[in-house]
Amino acid sequence: VLAGCRAPTPPPDPAALDPVAFRYVTLVLALGTHDANFVDAYHGPDSIRTLAVAESLSVAQIGASADSLIAILGDSVPRYADSVVALRHGYLRAQLGAVAARARMLGGERMSFDQEALALYDAQPPHFPDAYFDSLLAQLDTLVPGRGPLAQRFQRFQHRLTIPAGRVDTVFKTAIAACRARTLAHMSLPPGERFDLEYVKGTSWNAYNWYKGGYRSLIQVNLDFPIPVDRAVDLACHEGYPGHHVYNARLEESLVQRRGWSEFSVYALFSPESFIAEGTANFGIDMAFPAAERTAFERDSLFPLAGLDTALAVRNAAVRIVVERLNYARNEVAHRYLDGELDSTAARLAMARYWLTTPEAAAKTLRFIDAYRSYVINYNLGRDMVAAWVARAGGDSPEGRWRVFSELLSSPRLPRDLQ
């Protein structure tokens, strides 16, 4: 080296992250023994699960171990030669932060809604005044036909769009096939990927994807809820293509099988990964079915299969646009309820008002909030942040947007990376 010149610092060894990743997996599995909802999926070796159970770590020990790993990773991301490894470093740190935060919550620490959302999901939710939701209700009032209070008219309108029980399976499988075909037109899927479809009752959610590993999923649809015809496209895309099933399969293919990154063999539900998972699943609906194409598909294919009046398809599309913005009302109710500003009765009334639901449906939504708390931000804020990022990074062309959306589905990006 010439006198007075310093040799460049070599980039850190990417393999140094592997022990941290392995320990992260054991901590997630260990926390799952204390929190039944925490481990959404695991498809790694059984020996690691056995190890995690055998350690019998307390919640406090799990949190302390996660904090020690965060300290090892440091406050900043080093300059790796591989940009995806840099993303991995940041991902591990954020996911471990969520493990530590969830452990503190299970240990009795109380966080505000906003604090919890940031600690678990790496995102700060916006808040809206009642006047915002009232303006959306005023828009709906002009779109929903009939006489009487808006909530009653909306429920009657939804009833006219509900898939009869005997036709649900046919409508769903038709929607799934269309979502898959539209996804395959723009991205490759792992060989042999598939999912099984089941119908269930007695849950607090509408539908759920249980990823099994090996590019396989089990998707369950809850028949306790009436299913409007446009929910077929919503759920087929969200749970299947290009939503959760594709996201999990591509992560397994790209990061577990090709790179050997063990942290992607486990899915911690209360973590930043869920923000990306739910955000891409909801925006995936728009990717697969741009607005006009969706309306035409529902009118020409799903409405006839469901035995519904095709003349309602265009009006239903207009109503759906407003209802999607009303989705933020669930966040606002959850925020006020969990922060103690609303009791359960007031929360159910607010949900019924702004979601135009029956008291029974509002009660089910509140049960979801009781169980999953600030998780609700992942559906709408996640969707909107993914949409904005895809628009910025992908440009105006559909091909460009599909390219960056596909990359997002197979990378360790965080919510903060979408800013």
Side-chain angles (χ1 to χ4, degrees):
V1 178
L2 295 176
C5 295
R6 180 176 298 175
T9 302
D13 180 8
L17 293 175
D18 291 343
V20 175
F22 179 86
R23 189 57 178 159
Y24 162 77
V25 174
T26 63
L27 292 178
V28 171
L29 295 174
L31 196 56
T33 66
H34 299 278
D35 180 354
N37 290 325
F38 192 69
V39 180
D40 190 77
Y42 176 65
H43 48 87
D46 289 339
S47 59
I48 300 179
R49 189 193 296 273
T50 300
L51 173 64
V53 173
E55 279 192 287
S56 298
L57 295 178
S58 68
V59 167
Q61 288 172 320
I62 293 168
S65 295
D67 284 332
S68 69
L69 291 176
I70 292 171
I72 290 172
L73 291 172
D75 294 330
S76 60
V77 177
R79 288 184 173 273
Y80 291 93
D82 184 340
S83 62
V84 180
V85 177
L87 290 175
R88 182 194 190 194
H89 186 114
Y91 175 89
L92 280 169
R93 195 181 190 288
Q95 291 290 118
L96 284 163
V99 171
R102 186 65 178 176
R104 294 196 305 272
M105 291 172 64
L106 293 175
E109 180 176 325
R110 299 292 297 174
M111 298 184 191
S112 70
F113 182 86
D114 287 355
Q115 290 170 336
E116 180 184 316
L118 185 60
L120 295 181
Y121 307 115
D122 192 40
Q124 192 69 60
H127 294 294
F128 299 89
D130 289 350
Y132 171 74
F133 300 117
D134 288 335
S135 69
L136 293 173
L137 292 179
Q139 292 179 44
L140 272 185
D141 193 56
T142 66
L143 293 171
V144 180
R147 296 181 178 179
L150 175 59
Q152 293 179 11
R153 285 185 283 131
F154 181 77
Q155 290 165 25
R156 288 197 299 267
F157 183 67
Q158 289 293 99
H159 181 72
R160 296 175 67 189
L161 298 166
T162 299
I163 307 170
R167 302 193 183 205
V168 166
D169 188 57
T170 298
V171 173
F172 259 97
K173 287 179 177 176
T174 300
I176 290 166
C179 292
R180 185 175 189 274
R182 285 169 170 262
T183 299
L184 279 170
H186 298 283
M187 70 171 72
S188 62
L189 298 179
E193 61 77 25
R194 67 178 178 84
F195 69 76
D196 299 316
L197 180 65
E198 288 184 356
Y199 300 101
V200 300
K201 292 186 176 183
T203 74
S204 62
W205 35 259
N206 286 331
Y208 213 107
N209 177 298
W210 305 97
Y211 190 66
K212 302 299 184 180
Y215 315 138
R216 296 177 298 107
S217 294
L218 169 64
I219 294 178
Q220 294 180 325
V221 176
N222 183 5
L223 295 182
D224 283 338
F225 294 89
I227 303 177
V229 65
D230 54 358
R231 288 293 284 160
V233 167
D234 281 348
L235 296 179
C237 288
H238 181 102
E239 306 296 345
Y241 305 94
H244 290 321
H245 172 67
V246 172
Y247 178 61
N248 287 316
R250 285 177 66 90
L251 286 179
E252 182 181 0
E253 180 184 46
S254 299
L255 303 181
V256 179
Q257 299 301 328
R258 292 179 183 171
R259 289 182 178 260
W261 292 355
S262 61
E263 65 269 34
F264 291 96
S265 66
V266 69
Y267 177 6
L269 187 69
F270 303 111
S271 75
E273 184 176 6
S274 279
F275 190 92
I276 302 296
E278 301 294 1
T280 53
N282 266 357
F283 184 60
I285 301 166
D286 301 277
M287 292 295 296
F289 279 98
E293 295 177 30
R294 175 174 179 174
T295 302
F297 171 73
E298 290 176 344
R299 181 194 63 217
D300 299 338
S301 296
L302 299 189
F303 273 70
L305 285 174
L308 302 176
D309 183 0
T310 59
L312 297 175
V314 172
R315 184 186 294 271
N316 183 53
V319 168
R320 180 171 59 236
I321 291 171
V322 181
V323 170
E324 285 176 352
R325 305 319 301 168
L326 273 171
N327 189 275
Y328 274 97
R330 181 168 60 172
N331 295 27
E332 199 59 43
V333 171
H335 153 234
R336 298 178 191 180
Y337 170 63
L338 295 174
D339 283 0
E341 298 174 25
L342 298 175
D343 62 18
S344 59
T345 299
R348 286 194 298 270
L349 289 172
M351 190 60 64
R353 170 175 171 76
Y354 289 115
W355 262 32
L356 302 167
T357 60
T358 64
E360 294 77 17
K364 287 182 179 179
T365 299
L366 197 64
R367 288 202 298 272
F368 182 94
I369 292 170
D370 282 328
Y372 295 99
R373 300 178 58 84
S374 62
Y375 191 93
V376 294
I377 74 165
N378 297 327
Y379 298 106
N380 39 50
L381 182 60
R383 183 257 173 217
D384 289 348
M385 285 180 59
V386 168
W389 183 81
V390 169
R392 289 195 306 272
D396 295 331
S397 73
E399 294 80 8
R401 290 194 295 270
W402 270 104
R403 175 181 54 78
V404 298
F405 182 72
S406 178
E407 290 172 357
L408 183 57
L409 293 176
S410 53
S411 75
R413 282 182 172 82
L414 292 165
R416 70 187 67 176
D417 298 323
L418 304 181
Q419 298 287 349

